[in-house]
Amino acid sequence: MQLLQLLISGVAQGCIYGLIALGFVLIYKATETVSFAQGDLMMVGAFGGLAAMTVLGFPFWLSVPTAIVVMGGFGVLLERVVIRPILGQPAFSIVMLTIGVGYVLRGAITMIPNIGTDTHTLAVPYAGEVLRLGALVVSAEQIVVIGVTGVLCAGLFAMFRYSRLGLAMQASSQNQLAAYYMGIPVKRLNGLVWGLAAGVAAIAGLLLAPITFVHANMGFIGLKAFPAAVVGGFGSLPGAIVGGLVIGIVEALSGFYLPEGFKDIAPYIVVLVMLVLKPNGLFGEKLRKKV
């Protein structure tokens, strides 16, 4: 029963990692760019939900979609103003730019008086509720995280499989030049992908906030979501979720059964093992090039 309790906790935490990793993969598939600002976008989304409830006075059910929509628009604006002008430059330049964006977002939040430097609680209606199944106790926060992640994954699968927008995004991710010649608005799609990634990051932040509170440094969790994307395969959307679950479960088990400190390094040990045994990740595609 103790092992099952740890597995549920690891799955819930892994879902958060998987959602952030989804942002990594979405942006990489669309633009072949790695965005290290995902964790900080998650943090801004959590603060957005907090501001909607405390400053604007919105109820919880209205604050959540408001924060997600606003973050989606912010992602589109970020791509248009900051990312797009530098596309075509070496990949290292774009990576450093996204790291800089993360620092700017963190600094901007920190500078807000009486808010940025404090730790806040996001008042959710299910806070403190538990589900008891015999000796097994599952918190409502964990149930909501797992359930929302499942629904979101199903929605993204349906979008990419059946909608024209999803099919256009897939075509653009495979070959942007060919997609452009076929009449697909590649630049507009890139902006939508950044908006989608920012919206998913906001969802992750709103799910994580009741568990770890809202503070300016909560975006550092993105450093553990990156290994999830690598383990699952950097070009695979299902791999991002599976990789997040792997990292979350390994972290939960190592934190309980291994000496103190192993919990923090366990995700990176998993990445090293994966790079040795299967460099493309669990769901990564093998790419071959004719010379």
Side-chain angles (χ1 to χ4, degrees):
M1 189 61 67
Q2 189 177 61
L3 177 61
L4 184 58
Q5 193 85 53
L6 288 172
L7 289 176
I8 293 175
S9 176
V11 168
Q13 187 66 29
C15 287
I16 300 294
Y17 294 150
L19 290 178
I20 303 174
L22 269 178
F24 284 115
V25 174
L26 283 168
I27 293 174
Y28 181 78
K29 284 177 68 68
T31 62
E32 294 186 355
T33 300
V34 179
S35 171
F36 283 98
Q38 281 303 111
D40 294 293
L41 289 174
M42 180 204 72
M43 177 268 298
V44 174
F47 269 98
L50 178 69
M53 294 182 67
T54 58
V55 178
L56 301 179
F58 289 175
F60 175 77
W61 61 269
L62 183 59
S63 299
V64 169
T66 300
I68 295 171
V69 171
V70 170
M71 281 303 300
F74 178 74
V76 173
L77 181 65
L78 182 66
E79 189 277 337
R80 180 65 182 88
V81 175
V82 179
I83 305 298
R84 188 179 299 181
I86 202 175
L87 288 181
Q89 300 298 320
F92 178 77
S93 302
I94 303 177
V95 169
M96 293 303 298
L97 178 63
T98 61
I99 293 175
V101 168
Y103 274 100
V104 169
L105 293 176
R106 202 175 314 130
I109 291 294
T110 305
M111 287 188 294
I112 300 177
N114 301 322
I115 295 178
T117 56
D118 295 334
T119 299
H120 307 273
T121 301
L122 187 66
V124 296
Y126 51 85
E129 300 291 333
V130 296
L131 174 65
R132 298 182 183 273
L133 301 173
L136 182 66
V137 179
V138 183
S139 68
E141 289 88 347
Q142 293 175 335
I143 297 174
V144 170
V145 167
I146 296 172
V148 170
T149 301
V151 171
L152 180 62
C153 290
L156 288 174
F157 172 80
M159 186 193 76
F160 282 106
R161 184 69 178 271
Y162 300 110
S163 71
R164 293 182 61 185
L165 176 62
L167 294 175
M169 285 182 176
Q170 289 189 65
S172 178
S173 69
Q174 293 176 9
N175 191 318
Q176 288 196 359
L177 185 60
Y180 176 78
Y181 285 141
M182 293 297 293
I184 296 176
V186 174
K187 291 184 178 180
R188 190 182 306 170
L189 284 180
N190 287 346
L192 291 176
V193 166
W194 275 83
L196 181 61
V200 171
I203 294 174
L206 293 169
L207 291 174
L208 182 65
I211 301 174
T212 62
F213 305 107
V214 181
H215 53 90
N217 293 324
M218 66 184 296
F220 284 120
I221 195 176
L223 297 178
K224 291 185 179 179
F226 185 77
V230 175
V231 170
F234 225 92
S236 171
L237 294 176
I241 297 298
V242 173
L245 295 178
V246 170
I247 296 298
I249 292 173
V250 167
E251 191 178 59
L253 295 178
S254 61
F256 186 82
Y257 291 108
L258 297 179
E260 185 178 358
F262 275 87
K263 179 180 179 180
D264 295 325
I265 65 173
Y268 305 101
I269 294 176
V270 173
V271 168
L272 291 176
V273 173
M274 180 60 64
L275 291 176
V276 172
L277 300 179
K278 194 173 175 58
N280 294 319
L282 294 174
F283 295 87
E285 299 177 355
K286 292 184 178 179
L287 300 178
R288 297 181 178 178
K289 184 182 291 187
K290 288 186 178 181
V291 181

